[in-house]
């Protein structure tokens, strides 16, 4: 499925504005095209324990299934920030979506995930896509803890980092001590920042890195500041915040649940996530590389 006719215009009618309007027609239509190819399921994540789930791209509502990454967001990000045919590193791969979208677009994707079952499902799904001639490049998934896997990868070996990390305990994926979603907040932030530092080391100079993150609350209801942690950790590792976007999620059943929630606690109905893009090195050179015109 071709993403677009050129690398300078919008992706399927989606332009690079700071608000990602996933609830509008062009985004919905493109999402439907991806779903028609078989993207959208939560295979391999049946045992995920749900807390305050922000919703999934199919618009099926809140708290009814593990979240599924939006393929349109992945497609747009690769088109905007990765050189043609470039290498993509995903430290928190989860399901197959980001890898399949990358392979479909001819990008060489390496995803890392802690769950052997999830990796097996991802590989089986990629085999099916390969049989249907939907992959221009083969995605690769590595089973393991990103904290252990990334230090074994070459410095500067990737043209782009694109990932969506666990939002602490918003969804608990397993009881594995290495699973960030099962850690205390203090342990989570230490491991999280170490993985960010390794991802920046793996990123080539003059390249972009995008992290999709959402805020979480502690048990007292206070916002923890995951977004600030993400920005600070990148900057300590040598990558500066270059673009900050807001992804509008589908409202789902939040409209029905919001009145009681607001009356009880004065907490907003959260229907957005943050799309943070960092640059390592010179943003002008990184831009030229994305265009395919770098020396």
């Amino acid at each position: 499925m071709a993403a677009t006719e050129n690398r300078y215009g919008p992706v399927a009618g989606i332009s690079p504005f700071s608000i990602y309007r996933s609830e509008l027609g062009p985004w919905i239509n493109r999402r439907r095209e991806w779903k028609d190819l078989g993207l959208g399921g939560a295979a391999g994540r049946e045992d995920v324990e749900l807390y305050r789930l922000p919703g999934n791209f199919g618009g099926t509502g809140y708290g009814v299934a593990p979240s599924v990454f939006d393929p349109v967001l992945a497609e747009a990000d690769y088109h905007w920030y990765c050189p043609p045919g470039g290498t993509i590193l995903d430290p928190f791969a989860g399901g197959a979506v980001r890898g399949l979208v990358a392979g479909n677009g001819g990008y060489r994707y390496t995803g890392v995930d802690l769950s052997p079952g999830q990796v097996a499902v991802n590989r089986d799904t990629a085999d099916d896509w390969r049989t249907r001639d939907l992959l221009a490049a083969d995605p690769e998934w590595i089973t393991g803890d990103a904290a252990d896997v990334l230090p074994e990868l070459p410095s500067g070996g990737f043209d782009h980092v694109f990932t969506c990390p666990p939002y602490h305990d918003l969804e608990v994926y397993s009881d594995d001590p290495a699973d960030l979603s099962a850690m205390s907040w203090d342990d989570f932030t230490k491991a999280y920042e170490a993985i960010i530092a390794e991802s920046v080391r793996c990123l080539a100079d003059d390249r972009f890195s995008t992290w999709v993150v959402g805020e979480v609350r502690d048990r007292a209801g206070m916002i923890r500041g995951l977004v600030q942690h993400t920005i600070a950790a990148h900057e300590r590792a040598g990558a500066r915040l270059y673009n900050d976007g807001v992804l509008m999620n589908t409202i789902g059943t939040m409209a029905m649940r919001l009145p009681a929630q607001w009356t009880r606690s004065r907490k907003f109905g959260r229907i957005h996530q943050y799309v943070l893009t960092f640059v390592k090195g010179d943003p002008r050179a990184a831009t030229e590389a994305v265009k395919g015109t770098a020396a």
Side-chain angles (χ1 to χ4, degrees), residues 102-160:
N104 180 268
Y107 304 99
R108 292 165 290 162
Y109 169 96
T110 298
V112 181
D113 196 81
L114 193 63
S115 168
Q118 182 66 73
V119 168
V121 169
N122 292 354
R123 289 172 177 166
D124 287 345
T125 307
D127 288 342
D128 172 66
W129 275 49
R130 193 175 301 109
T131 299
R132 292 192 284 151
D133 198 26
L134 294 175
L135 293 178
D138 287 332
E140 176 188 6
W141 287 274
I142 300 173
T143 303
D145 182 356
D148 297 327
V149 174
L150 267 60
E152 300 298 319
L153 299 178
S155 296
F158 293 87
D159 292 306
H160 186 47

Side-chain angles (χ1 to χ4, degrees), residues 4-268:
T4 186
E5 289 73 26
N6 64 76
R7 301 189 61 79
Y8 305 99
V11 178
I14 298 161
S15 297
F17 295 122
S18 60
I19 304 295
Y20 293 72
R21 299 296 300 274
S22 67
E23 83 284 16
L24 296 183
W27 196 293
I28 292 171
N29 292 336
R30 190 61 170 179
R31 183 190 298 145
R32 185 177 298 115
E33 292 177 4
W34 282 112
K35 290 187 73 173
D36 288 344
L37 295 181
L39 285 184
R45 311 182 70 201
E46 293 83 0
D47 295 330
V48 173
E49 185 176 355
L50 306 175
Y51 284 87
R52 298 171 298 275
L53 182 66
N56 39 39
F57 81 73
T60 54
Y62 287 65
V64 298
S67 58
V68 178
F69 199 83
D70 193 322
V72 184
L73 177 57
E75 179 184 23
D77 179 88
Y78 299 158
H79 180 75
W80 293 335
Y81 295 118
C82 188
T87 51
I88 297 169
L89 173 64
D90 185 348
F92 301 103
V97 169
R98 294 193 290 275
L100 295 178
V101 172
N104 180 268
Y107 304 99
R108 292 165 290 162
Y109 169 96
T110 298
V112 181
D113 196 81
L114 193 63
S115 168
Q118 182 66 73
V119 168
V121 169
N122 292 354
R123 289 172 177 166
D124 287 345
T125 307
D127 288 342
D128 172 66
W129 275 49
R130 193 175 301 109
T131 299
R132 292 192 284 151
D133 198 26
L134 294 175
L135 293 178
D138 287 332
E140 176 188 6
W141 287 274
I142 300 173
T143 303
D145 182 356
D148 297 327
V149 174
L150 267 60
E152 300 298 319
L153 299 178
S155 296
F158 293 87
D159 292 306
H160 186 47
V161 175
F162 183 63
T163 197
C164 183
Y167 299 173
H168 189 220
D169 59 0
L170 193 69
E171 295 179 8
V172 177
Y173 301 102
S174 74
D175 57 4
D176 189 320
D179 191 331
L180 268 68
S181 69
M183 293 180 180
S184 69
W185 177 250
D186 287 343
D187 288 343
F188 170 88
T189 55
K190 291 175 184 176
Y192 183 58
E193 292 181 15
I195 291 169
I196 288 174
E198 280 298 316
S199 77
V200 174
R201 181 191 62 79
C202 291
L203 184 65
D205 291 336
D206 306 328
R207 296 293 187 270
F208 295 107
S209 173
T210 299
W211 288 56
V212 182
V213 298
E215 276 300 353
V216 293
R217 297 181 184 271
D218 63 20
R219 297 307 179 190
M222 302 297 111
I223 291 177
R224 288 195 182 273
L226 181 57
V227 172
Q228 293 96 312
H229 276 285
T230 304
I231 296 170
H234 274 89
E235 295 196 341
R236 281 193 290 270
R240 295 163 294 163
L241 183 63
Y242 191 67
N243 280 327
D244 60 326
V246 174
L247 173 67
M248 300 294 296
N249 293 320
T250 53
I251 294 176
T253 62
M254 176 55 74
M256 293 183 288
R257 296 187 295 111
L258 181 59
Q261 172 179 310
W262 181 253
T263 300
R264 182 177 64 252
S265 66
R266 282 303 187 268
K267 292 177 182 175
F268 284 145

